[in-house]
Amino acid sequence: MHELSIVRALLRQVGRVAGAHGGGPVRRVTVRLGPLSGVEPALLAQAFPKACAGTAAAGAELVIESVPVRVQCRACGHVDEAAPNRLRCPACGCAETVLVGGDELLLVSVDLEGRLNV
């Protein structure tokens, strides 16, 4: 399960953020996850507590915010949501689109004990 290595990398980033804000126990980690990120949300959630054991994030809550796939049409310029397996422009049907969202895995916020959203 590559989600475990992803969570470990995420926790390194969480540790840097927490350290920059005085450290302390991590209570919540919020991430933004797109369907084309290559990460399975359920497996990420399952790996999170295992990777957190023995760290400042032990017992922390993982919040996963899902984001839709978004494309921009090269022909008409329209930007809209699209199905992960159908990246055509919803407005004109053109197949020449540019992915502008839905492939991300972003650390949105880290809530530390006594502080919110750092």
Side-chain angles (χ1 to χ4, degrees):
M1 151 174 32
H2 81 287
E3 280 77 1
L4 184 58
S5 62
I6 290 169
V7 171
R8 287 181 178 148
L10 179 66
L11 287 174
R12 284 191 295 274
Q13 188 176 8
V14 166
R16 286 191 295 272
V17 170
H21 290 88
V26 176
R27 295 294 167 225
R28 180 181 302 123
V29 175
T30 304
V31 296
R32 190 167 295 141
L33 184 63
L36 298 179
S37 66
V39 178
E40 178 60 43
L43 295 177
L44 189 73
Q46 183 181 4
F48 187 76
K50 293 176 179 134
C52 288
T55 72
E61 173 189 9
L62 175 64
V63 177
I64 300 173
E65 297 176 349
S66 297
V67 295
V69 172
R70 296 183 55 82
V71 295
Q72 180 173 19
C73 182
R74 290 184 185 212
C76 71
H78 183 77
V79 177
D80 207 343
E81 291 183 19
N85 60 348
R86 184 168 167 72
L87 301 179
R88 291 183 171 273
C89 175
C92 72
C94 180
E96 293 185 35
T97 59
V98 176
L99 186 67
V100 295
D103 62 342
E104 62 266 39
L105 170 58
L106 300 172
L107 175 60
V108 174
S109 66
V110 177
D111 295 352
L112 302 175
E113 187 172 289
R115 297 182 180 173
L116 296 177
N117 294 326
V118 292

